[in-house]
Amino acid sequence: MKRLDLDDLPPRVAQLLSGLAEGEVLILVQDGAVAGRLHGGPAPEPVVEPEPEPYNNQRAAEIFEQFRSAIEDEF
């Protein structure tokens, strides 16, 4: 699959591509011939990043203890 970053395009072209409505067709023309067609589709769902766990001293102490124990077992 090929990828085109809209930030790399001139603003007018980027706005034309990003403003394509669902069901709308954009025809790409080169030297008077149709070079391709882009069909507008539904906007993708926004990606929601999960909230990071708040810092927990007890959990950090457990992880450090496991690490220390593993190091001591090795050496």
Side-chain angles (χ1 to χ4, degrees):
M1 177 168 73
K2 294 186 180 183
R3 179 181 170 146
L4 178 65
D5 190 343
L6 294 178
D7 294 331
D8 294 338
L9 298 174
R12 182 173 169 224
V13 175
Q15 196 247 340
L16 180 67
L17 292 171
S18 63
L20 203 57
E22 186 173 350
E24 191 174 9
V25 178
L26 175 67
I27 298 174
L28 305 173
V29 178
Q30 184 176 21
D31 297 325
V34 174
R37 288 184 172 86
L38 297 174
H39 298 266
E45 294 294 322
V47 176
V48 178
E49 295 291 328
E51 288 292 320
E53 266 186 49
Y55 184 76
N56 183 338
N57 281 337
Q58 183 177 0
R59 180 69 180 133
E62 290 172 7
I63 292 171
F64 179 74
E65 182 59 34
Q66 291 171 358
F67 175 75
R68 188 178 65 78
S69 176
I71 295 297
E72 288 176 354
D73 290 346
E74 286 292 320
F75 299 104

Short mmCIF file of all heavy atoms in Angstrom, two decimals:
data_model
loop_
_atom_site.label_atom_id
_atom_site.label_comp_id
_atom_site.label_asym_id
_atom_site.label_seq_id
_atom_site.Cartn_x
_atom_site.Cartn_y
_atom_site.Cartn_z
N MET A 1 0.84 -1.16 0.00
CA MET A 1 0.00 0.00 0.00
C MET A 1 0.90 1.24 0.00
O MET A 1 1.88 1.30 0.72
CB MET A 1 -0.90 0.00 1.24
CG MET A 1 -1.76 1.23 1.32
SD MET A 1 -3.07 1.18 2.53
CE MET A 1 -2.20 1.34 4.04
N LYS A 2 0.54 2.21 -0.78
CA LYS A 2 1.29 3.46 -0.83
C LYS A 2 0.65 4.46 0.11
O LYS A 2 -0.54 4.41 0.39
CB LYS A 2 1.30 4.00 -2.25
CG LYS A 2 2.08 3.10 -3.18
CD LYS A 2 2.22 3.71 -4.54
CE LYS A 2 3.01 2.75 -5.41
NZ LYS A 2 3.26 3.29 -6.72
N ARG A 3 1.49 5.37 0.60
CA ARG A 3 1.02 6.36 1.58
C ARG A 3 1.45 7.75 1.12
O ARG A 3 2.56 7.95 0.65
CB ARG A 3 1.64 6.03 2.93
CG ARG A 3 1.25 6.99 4.01
CD ARG A 3 1.92 6.59 5.30
NE ARG A 3 1.74 7.64 6.26
CZ ARG A 3 1.61 7.44 7.54
NH1 ARG A 3 1.68 6.22 8.01
NH2 ARG A 3 1.45 8.44 8.36
N LEU A 4 0.56 8.72 1.28
CA LEU A 4 0.83 10.11 0.92
C LEU A 4 0.51 10.97 2.13
O LEU A 4 -0.62 11.00 2.60
CB LEU A 4 -0.06 10.52 -0.27
CG LEU A 4 0.04 11.94 -0.76
CD1 LEU A 4 1.43 12.21 -1.33
CD2 LEU A 4 -1.01 12.21 -1.80
N ASP A 5 1.51 11.66 2.65
CA ASP A 5 1.33 12.53 3.81
C ASP A 5 0.83 13.88 3.31
O ASP A 5 1.50 14.56 2.53
CB ASP A 5 2.66 12.68 4.55
CG ASP A 5 2.49 13.36 5.89
OD1 ASP A 5 1.44 13.99 6.12
OD2 ASP A 5 3.42 13.27 6.70
N LEU A 6 -0.34 14.28 3.78
CA LEU A 6 -0.93 15.54 3.34
C LEU A 6 -0.08 16.74 3.74
O LEU A 6 -0.13 17.79 3.09
CB LEU A 6 -2.35 15.69 3.89
CG LEU A 6 -3.38 14.69 3.36
CD1 LEU A 6 -4.72 14.93 4.03
CD2 LEU A 6 -3.52 14.78 1.86
N ASP A 7 0.74 16.59 4.78
CA ASP A 7 1.60 17.70 5.20
C ASP A 7 2.71 17.99 4.18
O ASP A 7 3.29 19.06 4.19
CB ASP A 7 2.24 17.39 6.56
CG ASP A 7 1.21 17.33 7.68
OD1 ASP A 7 0.18 18.02 7.56
OD2 ASP A 7 1.42 16.58 8.65
N ASP A 8 3.00 17.02 3.31
CA ASP A 8 4.04 17.20 2.29
C ASP A 8 3.51 17.87 1.03
O ASP A 8 4.28 18.20 0.13
CB ASP A 8 4.65 15.85 1.91
CG ASP A 8 5.41 15.22 3.06
OD1 ASP A 8 5.83 15.95 3.98
OD2 ASP A 8 5.58 13.98 3.05
N LEU A 9 2.20 18.07 0.94
CA LEU A 9 1.58 18.64 -0.26
C LEU A 9 1.35 20.14 -0.10
O LEU A 9 1.29 20.64 1.02
CB LEU A 9 0.23 17.96 -0.51
CG LEU A 9 0.27 16.46 -0.78
CD1 LEU A 9 -1.14 15.91 -0.86
CD2 LEU A 9 1.03 16.17 -2.06
N PRO A 10 1.19 20.83 -1.21
CA PRO A 10 0.80 22.24 -1.12
C PRO A 10 -0.55 22.36 -0.39
O PRO A 10 -1.40 21.45 -0.51
CB PRO A 10 0.67 22.68 -2.58
CG PRO A 10 1.47 21.69 -3.36
CD PRO A 10 1.40 20.41 -2.60
N PRO A 11 -0.76 23.42 0.37
CA PRO A 11 -1.98 23.54 1.17
C PRO A 11 -3.28 23.38 0.38
O PRO A 11 -4.22 22.76 0.86
CB PRO A 11 -1.88 24.95 1.77
CG PRO A 11 -0.44 25.29 1.73
CD PRO A 11 0.14 24.55 0.57
N ARG A 12 -3.33 23.93 -0.82
CA ARG A 12 -4.56 23.84 -1.63
C ARG A 12 -4.88 22.39 -1.98
O ARG A 12 -6.03 21.95 -1.90
CB ARG A 12 -4.41 24.67 -2.90
CG ARG A 12 -5.63 24.68 -3.75
CD ARG A 12 -5.50 25.65 -4.91
NE ARG A 12 -6.60 25.43 -5.83
CZ ARG A 12 -6.46 25.37 -7.14
NH1 ARG A 12 -5.27 25.54 -7.69
NH2 ARG A 12 -7.49 25.17 -7.90
N VAL A 13 -3.88 21.63 -2.35
CA VAL A 13 -4.08 20.22 -2.70
C VAL A 13 -4.47 19.42 -1.46
O VAL A 13 -5.38 18.59 -1.49
CB VAL A 13 -2.81 19.64 -3.36
CG1 VAL A 13 -2.97 18.15 -3.62
CG2 VAL A 13 -2.49 20.37 -4.64
N ALA A 14 -3.79 19.66 -0.35
CA ALA A 14 -4.09 18.95 0.89
C ALA A 14 -5.52 19.22 1.33
O ALA A 14 -6.24 18.31 1.74
CB ALA A 14 -3.11 19.36 1.98
N GLN A 15 -5.97 20.47 1.21
CA GLN A 15 -7.34 20.81 1.60
C GLN A 15 -8.36 20.15 0.68
O GLN A 15 -9.39 19.67 1.13
CB GLN A 15 -7.50 22.33 1.61
CG GLN A 15 -8.72 22.80 2.36
CD GLN A 15 -9.76 23.43 1.46
OE1 GLN A 15 -9.45 23.85 0.35
NE2 GLN A 15 -10.98 23.48 1.93
N LEU A 16 -8.06 20.08 -0.60
CA LEU A 16 -8.95 19.45 -1.56
C LEU A 16 -9.10 17.96 -1.25
O LEU A 16 -10.20 17.42 -1.24
CB LEU A 16 -8.42 19.63 -2.99
CG LEU A 16 -9.25 19.02 -4.11
CD1 LEU A 16 -10.58 19.73 -4.25
CD2 LEU A 16 -8.49 19.08 -5.42
N LEU A 17 -7.99 17.30 -0.95
CA LEU A 17 -8.03 15.88 -0.65
C LEU A 17 -8.71 15.59 0.69
O LEU A 17 -9.51 14.66 0.80
CB LEU A 17 -6.62 15.29 -0.64
CG LEU A 17 -5.92 15.23 -2.00
CD1 LEU A 17 -4.47 14.83 -1.83
CD2 LEU A 17 -6.64 14.28 -2.94
N SER A 18 -8.39 16.39 1.70
CA SER A 18 -8.97 16.12 3.02
C SER A 18 -10.44 16.53 3.10
O SER A 18 -11.18 16.04 3.94
CB SER A 18 -8.18 16.83 4.11
OG SER A 18 -8.24 18.22 3.94
N GLY A 19 -10.88 17.41 2.20
CA GLY A 19 -12.26 17.86 2.20
C GLY A 19 -13.19 17.03 1.34
O GLY A 19 -14.36 17.37 1.17
N LEU A 20 -12.68 15.94 0.78
CA LEU A 20 -13.49 15.08 -0.08
C LEU A 20 -14.59 14.42 0.75
O LEU A 20 -14.32 13.72 1.73
CB LEU A 20 -12.59 14.01 -0.70
CG LEU A 20 -13.03 13.34 -1.99
CD1 LEU A 20 -13.28 14.37 -3.08
CD2 LEU A 20 -12.00 12.35 -2.45
N ALA A 21 -15.84 14.66 0.40
CA ALA A 21 -16.97 14.13 1.15
C ALA A 21 -17.22 12.66 0.81
O ALA A 21 -16.78 12.17 -0.25
CB ALA A 21 -18.22 14.94 0.84
N GLU A 22 -17.91 11.98 1.69
CA GLU A 22 -18.24 10.57 1.46
C GLU A 22 -19.07 10.45 0.19
O GLU A 22 -20.04 11.17 -0.03
CB GLU A 22 -19.01 10.01 2.65
CG GLU A 22 -19.25 8.53 2.55
CD GLU A 22 -19.87 7.95 3.81
OE1 GLU A 22 -19.95 8.65 4.83
OE2 GLU A 22 -20.28 6.79 3.76
N GLY A 23 -18.63 9.57 -0.71
CA GLY A 23 -19.33 9.36 -1.97
C GLY A 23 -18.88 10.29 -3.09
O GLY A 23 -19.21 10.07 -4.25
N GLU A 24 -18.14 11.33 -2.76
CA GLU A 24 -17.64 12.26 -3.76
C GLU A 24 -16.42 11.67 -4.45
O GLU A 24 -15.64 10.93 -3.86
CB GLU A 24 -17.25 13.58 -3.07
CG GLU A 24 -16.97 14.71 -4.02
CD GLU A 24 -16.74 16.02 -3.26
OE1 GLU A 24 -16.62 16.01 -2.03
OE2 GLU A 24 -16.64 17.05 -3.94
N VAL A 25 -16.27 11.97 -5.76
CA VAL A 25 -15.17 11.42 -6.54
C VAL A 25 -14.27 12.56 -7.00
O VAL A 25 -14.74 13.60 -7.47
CB VAL A 25 -15.69 10.64 -7.77
CG1 VAL A 25 -14.54 10.12 -8.61
CG2 VAL A 25 -16.59 9.50 -7.33
N LEU A 26 -12.96 12.37 -6.86
CA LEU A 26 -11.98 13.31 -7.34
C LEU A 26 -11.23 12.64 -8.49
O LEU A 26 -10.69 11.55 -8.33
CB LEU A 26 -10.99 13.70 -6.24
CG LEU A 26 -9.84 14.60 -6.65
CD1 LEU A 26 -10.35 15.98 -7.04
CD2 LEU A 26 -8.83 14.70 -5.52
N ILE A 27 -11.25 13.27 -9.66
CA ILE A 27 -10.59 12.70 -10.83
C ILE A 27 -9.22 13.35 -10.98
O ILE A 27 -9.09 14.57 -10.96
CB ILE A 27 -11.43 12.92 -12.10
CG1 ILE A 27 -12.78 12.21 -11.97
CG2 ILE A 27 -10.69 12.42 -13.33
CD1 ILE A 27 -13.73 12.48 -13.10
N LEU A 28 -8.19 12.52 -11.10
CA LEU A 28 -6.83 12.99 -11.30
C LEU A 28 -6.54 12.98 -12.79
O LEU A 28 -6.69 11.95 -13.45
CB LEU A 28 -5.84 12.09 -10.56
CG LEU A 28 -6.11 11.91 -9.06
CD1 LEU A 28 -5.19 10.87 -8.48
CD2 LEU A 28 -5.98 13.22 -8.34
N VAL A 29 -6.15 14.12 -13.34
CA VAL A 29 -5.93 14.26 -14.78
C VAL A 29 -4.48 14.66 -15.03
O VAL A 29 -3.92 15.50 -14.35
CB VAL A 29 -6.87 15.34 -15.36
CG1 VAL A 29 -6.63 15.52 -16.84
CG2 VAL A 29 -8.32 14.98 -15.09
N GLN A 30 -3.88 13.99 -16.04
CA GLN A 30 -2.53 14.33 -16.45
C GLN A 30 -2.48 14.36 -17.97
O GLN A 30 -2.87 13.38 -18.62
CB GLN A 30 -1.53 13.31 -15.91
CG GLN A 30 -0.09 13.66 -16.22
CD GLN A 30 0.89 12.68 -15.57
OE1 GLN A 30 0.53 11.57 -15.23
NE2 GLN A 30 2.11 13.12 -15.43
N ASP A 31 -2.02 15.45 -18.54
CA ASP A 31 -1.97 15.62 -19.99
C ASP A 31 -3.31 15.37 -20.66
O ASP A 31 -3.40 14.79 -21.74
CB ASP A 31 -0.90 14.72 -20.61
CG ASP A 31 0.50 15.06 -20.13
OD1 ASP A 31 0.76 16.27 -19.90
OD2 ASP A 31 1.33 14.14 -19.98
N GLY A 32 -4.39 15.78 -20.01
CA GLY A 32 -5.73 15.64 -20.58
C GLY A 32 -6.34 14.26 -20.44
O GLY A 32 -7.48 14.05 -20.84
N ALA A 33 -5.61 13.31 -19.87
CA ALA A 33 -6.14 11.95 -19.69
C ALA A 33 -6.37 11.67 -18.20
O ALA A 33 -5.65 12.19 -17.35
CB ALA A 33 -5.17 10.93 -20.27
N VAL A 34 -7.36 10.85 -17.93
CA VAL A 34 -7.63 10.47 -16.55
C VAL A 34 -6.51 9.56 -16.05
O VAL A 34 -6.25 8.51 -16.62
CB VAL A 34 -9.01 9.77 -16.43
CG1 VAL A 34 -9.22 9.26 -15.01
CG2 VAL A 34 -10.12 10.72 -16.83
N ALA A 35 -5.84 9.99 -14.99
CA ALA A 35 -4.73 9.21 -14.43
C ALA A 35 -5.18 8.40 -13.22
O ALA A 35 -4.52 7.45 -12.82
CB ALA A 35 -3.59 10.14 -14.02
N GLY A 36 -6.31 8.77 -12.63
CA GLY A 36 -6.81 8.03 -11.48
C GLY A 36 -8.04 8.69 -10.90
O GLY A 36 -8.43 9.79 -11.29
N ARG A 37 -8.67 7.97 -10.00
CA ARG A 37 -9.86 8.48 -9.31
C ARG A 37 -9.72 8.19 -7.82
O ARG A 37 -9.28 7.12 -7.43
CB ARG A 37 -11.12 7.79 -9.83
CG ARG A 37 -11.53 8.20 -11.21
CD ARG A 37 -12.86 7.52 -11.60
NE ARG A 37 -13.38 8.02 -12.83
CZ ARG A 37 -13.04 7.57 -14.03
NH1 ARG A 37 -12.18 6.59 -14.14
NH2 ARG A 37 -13.55 8.10 -15.12
N LEU A 38 -10.11 9.16 -7.03
CA LEU A 38 -10.16 8.97 -5.58
C LEU A 38 -11.60 9.11 -5.14
O LEU A 38 -12.29 10.06 -5.51
CB LEU A 38 -9.30 10.03 -4.87
CG LEU A 38 -7.81 10.00 -5.17
CD1 LEU A 38 -7.13 11.18 -4.50
CD2 LEU A 38 -7.20 8.71 -4.68
N HIS A 39 -12.05 8.14 -4.37
CA HIS A 39 -13.43 8.14 -3.88
C HIS A 39 -13.42 8.47 -2.39
O HIS A 39 -12.70 7.84 -1.62
CB HIS A 39 -14.08 6.76 -4.09
CG HIS A 39 -14.19 6.38 -5.52
ND1 HIS A 39 -15.31 6.63 -6.27
CD2 HIS A 39 -13.29 5.79 -6.36
CE1 HIS A 39 -15.11 6.21 -7.50
NE2 HIS A 39 -13.89 5.69 -7.58
N GLY A 40 -14.22 9.46 -2.01
CA GLY A 40 -14.33 9.83 -0.61
C GLY A 40 -15.06 8.76 0.17
O GLY A 40 -16.03 8.18 -0.30
N GLY A 41 -14.56 8.48 1.33
CA GLY A 41 -15.18 7.48 2.19
C GLY A 41 -15.46 8.08 3.56
O GLY A 41 -15.18 9.25 3.81
N PRO A 42 -16.00 7.26 4.44
CA PRO A 42 -16.28 7.78 5.78
C PRO A 42 -14.98 8.12 6.51
O PRO A 42 -13.94 7.49 6.29
CB PRO A 42 -17.01 6.63 6.46
CG PRO A 42 -16.61 5.41 5.71
CD PRO A 42 -16.35 5.85 4.30
N ALA A 43 -15.05 9.12 7.34
CA ALA A 43 -13.87 9.51 8.12
C ALA A 43 -13.53 8.39 9.10
O ALA A 43 -14.43 7.78 9.69
CB ALA A 43 -14.16 10.80 8.87
N PRO A 44 -12.25 8.11 9.28
CA PRO A 44 -11.87 7.06 10.22
C PRO A 44 -12.18 7.48 11.65
O PRO A 44 -12.20 8.66 11.98
CB PRO A 44 -10.37 6.90 10.00
CG PRO A 44 -9.92 8.19 9.43
CD PRO A 44 -11.09 8.73 8.65
N GLU A 45 -12.44 6.48 12.47
CA GLU A 45 -12.68 6.74 13.89
C GLU A 45 -11.39 7.27 14.52
O GLU A 45 -10.32 6.75 14.22
CB GLU A 45 -13.12 5.46 14.60
CG GLU A 45 -14.46 4.92 14.14
CD GLU A 45 -15.60 5.85 14.51
OE1 GLU A 45 -15.57 6.43 15.61
OE2 GLU A 45 -16.52 5.98 13.70
N PRO A 46 -11.50 8.26 15.36
CA PRO A 46 -10.28 8.77 16.01
C PRO A 46 -9.69 7.71 16.95
O PRO A 46 -10.43 6.97 17.59
CB PRO A 46 -10.75 9.99 16.79
CG PRO A 46 -12.22 9.84 16.93
CD PRO A 46 -12.68 8.99 15.77
N VAL A 47 -8.38 7.66 16.99
CA VAL A 47 -7.69 6.71 17.86
C VAL A 47 -7.63 7.31 19.25
O VAL A 47 -7.16 8.42 19.44
CB VAL A 47 -6.27 6.42 17.34
CG1 VAL A 47 -5.52 5.51 18.29
CG2 VAL A 47 -6.34 5.83 15.94
N VAL A 48 -8.15 6.56 20.20
CA VAL A 48 -8.15 7.02 21.59
C VAL A 48 -7.06 6.27 22.33
O VAL A 48 -7.10 5.05 22.44
CB VAL A 48 -9.52 6.77 22.25
CG1 VAL A 48 -9.50 7.22 23.71
CG2 VAL A 48 -10.62 7.48 21.48
N GLU A 49 -6.08 7.02 22.82
CA GLU A 49 -4.99 6.43 23.57
C GLU A 49 -5.47 6.17 24.99
O GLU A 49 -6.12 7.03 25.60
CB GLU A 49 -3.78 7.37 23.61
CG GLU A 49 -3.16 7.62 22.26
CD GLU A 49 -2.47 6.40 21.71
OE1 GLU A 49 -1.93 5.61 22.49
OE2 GLU A 49 -2.47 6.25 20.47
N PRO A 50 -5.18 4.97 25.53
CA PRO A 50 -5.59 4.72 26.92
C PRO A 50 -4.80 5.61 27.88
O PRO A 50 -3.65 5.97 27.61
CB PRO A 50 -5.24 3.25 27.13
CG PRO A 50 -4.23 2.93 26.10
CD PRO A 50 -4.48 3.85 24.95
N GLU A 51 -5.45 5.98 28.95
CA GLU A 51 -4.79 6.81 29.96
C GLU A 51 -3.68 6.00 30.61
O GLU A 51 -3.87 4.83 30.96
CB GLU A 51 -5.79 7.23 31.04
CG GLU A 51 -6.78 8.27 30.56
CD GLU A 51 -6.13 9.61 30.30
OE1 GLU A 51 -5.25 10.01 31.09
OE2 GLU A 51 -6.50 10.24 29.30
N PRO A 52 -2.50 6.57 30.77
CA PRO A 52 -1.43 5.84 31.45
C PRO A 52 -1.77 5.64 32.92
O PRO A 52 -2.47 6.46 33.52
CB PRO A 52 -0.21 6.74 31.27
CG PRO A 52 -0.76 8.09 31.02
CD PRO A 52 -2.09 7.90 30.36
N GLU A 53 -1.26 4.55 33.47
CA GLU A 53 -1.49 4.29 34.88
C GLU A 53 -0.81 5.37 35.70
O GLU A 53 0.31 5.77 35.41
CB GLU A 53 -0.85 2.94 35.27
CG GLU A 53 -1.78 1.78 35.21
CD GLU A 53 -1.11 0.52 35.74
OE1 GLU A 53 -0.51 0.54 36.83
OE2 GLU A 53 -1.20 -0.48 35.04
N PRO A 54 -1.49 5.84 36.75
CA PRO A 54 -0.82 6.81 37.60
C PRO A 54 0.36 6.14 38.31
O PRO A 54 0.37 4.93 38.53
CB PRO A 54 -1.90 7.23 38.60
CG PRO A 54 -2.94 6.19 38.53
CD PRO A 54 -2.83 5.54 37.18
N TYR A 55 1.38 6.93 38.63
CA TYR A 55 2.56 6.38 39.27
C TYR A 55 2.17 5.78 40.61
O TYR A 55 1.45 6.39 41.40
CB TYR A 55 3.62 7.48 39.46
CG TYR A 55 4.90 6.95 40.02
CD1 TYR A 55 5.77 6.25 39.22
CD2 TYR A 55 5.22 7.11 41.36
CE1 TYR A 55 6.96 5.74 39.72
CE2 TYR A 55 6.39 6.61 41.87
CZ TYR A 55 7.26 5.92 41.06
OH TYR A 55 8.42 5.42 41.55
N ASN A 56 2.63 4.58 40.84
CA ASN A 56 2.28 3.86 42.06
C ASN A 56 3.58 3.41 42.74
O ASN A 56 4.28 2.56 42.22
CB ASN A 56 1.40 2.66 41.69
CG ASN A 56 0.93 1.88 42.89
OD1 ASN A 56 1.50 1.93 43.97
ND2 ASN A 56 -0.15 1.14 42.70
N ASN A 57 3.88 3.99 43.90
CA ASN A 57 5.11 3.66 44.61
C ASN A 57 5.18 2.17 44.97
O ASN A 57 6.24 1.56 44.88
CB ASN A 57 5.26 4.49 45.87
CG ASN A 57 5.77 5.89 45.59
OD1 ASN A 57 6.39 6.12 44.56
ND2 ASN A 57 5.50 6.81 46.49
N GLN A 58 4.06 1.61 45.37
CA GLN A 58 4.06 0.21 45.78
C GLN A 58 4.37 -0.68 44.58
O GLN A 58 5.17 -1.61 44.67
CB GLN A 58 2.72 -0.18 46.40
CG GLN A 58 2.69 -1.61 46.90
CD GLN A 58 1.37 -1.95 47.57
OE1 GLN A 58 0.48 -1.12 47.65
NE2 GLN A 58 1.26 -3.18 48.03
N ARG A 59 3.77 -0.40 43.45
CA ARG A 59 4.01 -1.20 42.24
C ARG A 59 5.47 -1.04 41.79
O ARG A 59 6.11 -2.01 41.39
CB ARG A 59 3.06 -0.78 41.13
CG ARG A 59 3.23 -1.52 39.84
CD ARG A 59 2.79 -2.97 39.96
NE ARG A 59 2.99 -3.63 38.69
CZ ARG A 59 3.56 -4.81 38.55
NH1 ARG A 59 3.92 -5.50 39.60
NH2 ARG A 59 3.72 -5.33 37.36
N ALA A 60 5.99 0.17 41.87
CA ALA A 60 7.38 0.41 41.49
C ALA A 60 8.32 -0.38 42.41
O ALA A 60 9.31 -0.96 41.95
CB ALA A 60 7.70 1.90 41.55
N ALA A 61 8.01 -0.41 43.69
CA ALA A 61 8.83 -1.16 44.64
C ALA A 61 8.80 -2.65 44.33
O ALA A 61 9.83 -3.34 44.41
CB ALA A 61 8.36 -0.89 46.06
N GLU A 62 7.63 -3.17 43.95
CA GLU A 62 7.51 -4.59 43.59
C GLU A 62 8.35 -4.92 42.35
O GLU A 62 9.06 -5.92 42.32
CB GLU A 62 6.05 -4.96 43.31
CG GLU A 62 5.16 -4.96 44.53
CD GLU A 62 3.70 -5.12 44.17
OE1 GLU A 62 3.38 -5.37 42.98
OE2 GLU A 62 2.86 -5.00 45.08
N ILE A 63 8.29 -4.06 41.36
CA ILE A 63 9.06 -4.28 40.13
C ILE A 63 10.55 -4.22 40.43
O ILE A 63 11.32 -5.07 39.96
CB ILE A 63 8.67 -3.24 39.05
CG1 ILE A 63 7.24 -3.49 38.60
CG2 ILE A 63 9.64 -3.28 37.87
CD1 ILE A 63 6.67 -2.42 37.71
N PHE A 64 10.98 -3.24 41.22
CA PHE A 64 12.39 -3.14 41.57
C PHE A 64 12.85 -4.37 42.34
O PHE A 64 13.94 -4.90 42.11
CB PHE A 64 12.64 -1.87 42.39
CG PHE A 64 14.07 -1.71 42.78
CD1 PHE A 64 15.02 -1.34 41.85
CD2 PHE A 64 14.48 -1.96 44.09
CE1 PHE A 64 16.36 -1.22 42.20
CE2 PHE A 64 15.81 -1.84 44.45
CZ PHE A 64 16.74 -1.46 43.50
N GLU A 65 12.03 -4.85 43.26
CA GLU A 65 12.37 -6.03 44.04
C GLU A 65 12.51 -7.26 43.14
O GLU A 65 13.44 -8.06 43.29
CB GLU A 65 11.32 -6.28 45.13
CG GLU A 65 11.61 -7.45 46.02
CD GLU A 65 12.93 -7.33 46.77
OE1 GLU A 65 13.33 -6.21 47.13
OE2 GLU A 65 13.56 -8.38 46.99
N GLN A 66 11.61 -7.43 42.17
CA GLN A 66 11.71 -8.54 41.22
C GLN A 66 13.00 -8.42 40.40
O GLN A 66 13.69 -9.41 40.17
CB GLN A 66 10.50 -8.57 40.29
CG GLN A 66 9.21 -8.94 40.97
CD GLN A 66 8.01 -8.75 40.07
OE1 GLN A 66 8.13 -8.30 38.94
NE2 GLN A 66 6.83 -9.10 40.58
N PHE A 67 13.32 -7.23 39.96
CA PHE A 67 14.54 -7.00 39.20
C PHE A 67 15.77 -7.32 40.03
O PHE A 67 16.68 -8.03 39.59
CB PHE A 67 14.58 -5.54 38.71
CG PHE A 67 15.86 -5.17 38.03
CD1 PHE A 67 16.11 -5.60 36.74
CD2 PHE A 67 16.80 -4.38 38.68
CE1 PHE A 67 17.29 -5.27 36.10
CE2 PHE A 67 17.98 -4.05 38.05
CZ PHE A 67 18.23 -4.49 36.76
N ARG A 68 15.80 -6.82 41.26
CA ARG A 68 16.95 -7.05 42.16
C ARG A 68 17.10 -8.55 42.42
O ARG A 68 18.21 -9.10 42.38
CB ARG A 68 16.76 -6.30 43.47
CG ARG A 68 17.98 -6.32 44.38
CD ARG A 68 17.77 -5.51 45.64
NE ARG A 68 16.74 -6.05 46.50
CZ ARG A 68 16.89 -7.12 47.31
NH1 ARG A 68 18.01 -7.75 47.35
NH2 ARG A 68 15.89 -7.51 48.05
N SER A 69 16.00 -9.23 42.64
CA SER A 69 16.03 -10.67 42.90
C SER A 69 16.56 -11.42 41.68
O SER A 69 17.37 -12.35 41.82
CB SER A 69 14.62 -11.16 43.26
OG SER A 69 14.61 -12.54 43.43
N ALA A 70 16.13 -11.03 40.49
CA ALA A 70 16.60 -11.70 39.27
C ALA A 70 18.09 -11.48 39.08
O ALA A 70 18.82 -12.41 38.69
CB ALA A 70 15.83 -11.18 38.06
N ILE A 71 18.58 -10.28 39.36
CA ILE A 71 20.01 -9.97 39.24
C ILE A 71 20.81 -10.80 40.24
O ILE A 71 21.86 -11.36 39.92
CB ILE A 71 20.28 -8.46 39.41
CG1 ILE A 71 19.64 -7.67 38.27
CG2 ILE A 71 21.77 -8.17 39.50
CD1 ILE A 71 20.20 -7.98 36.90
N GLU A 72 20.33 -10.85 41.48
CA GLU A 72 21.04 -11.63 42.49
C GLU A 72 21.09 -13.11 42.14
O GLU A 72 22.09 -13.79 42.40
CB GLU A 72 20.38 -11.43 43.85
CG GLU A 72 20.64 -10.05 44.45
CD GLU A 72 19.90 -9.83 45.74
OE1 GLU A 72 19.09 -10.70 46.15
OE2 GLU A 72 20.12 -8.78 46.36
N ASP A 73 20.03 -13.62 41.54
CA ASP A 73 19.99 -15.04 41.13
C ASP A 73 21.00 -15.31 40.03
O ASP A 73 21.60 -16.40 39.98
CB ASP A 73 18.59 -15.44 40.66
CG ASP A 73 17.59 -15.50 41.80
OD1 ASP A 73 18.03 -15.49 42.98
OD2 ASP A 73 16.37 -15.54 41.52
N GLU A 74 21.20 -14.36 39.14
CA GLU A 74 22.13 -14.53 38.04
C GLU A 74 23.58 -14.49 38.48
O GLU A 74 24.43 -15.17 37.95
CB GLU A 74 21.90 -13.45 36.96
CG GLU A 74 20.66 -13.66 36.12
CD GLU A 74 20.78 -14.87 35.22
OE1 GLU A 74 21.87 -15.10 34.66
OE2 GLU A 74 19.79 -15.62 35.12
N PHE A 75 23.87 -13.62 39.47
CA PHE A 75 25.26 -13.43 39.89
C PHE A 75 25.38 -13.98 41.26
O PHE A 75 26.10 -13.98 42.03
CB PHE A 75 25.64 -11.95 39.81
CG PHE A 75 25.54 -11.42 38.42
CD1 PHE A 75 24.47 -10.62 38.05
CD2 PHE A 75 26.48 -11.73 37.45
CE1 PHE A 75 24.37 -10.12 36.75
CE2 PHE A 75 26.37 -11.23 36.17
CZ PHE A 75 25.32 -10.42 35.82
#
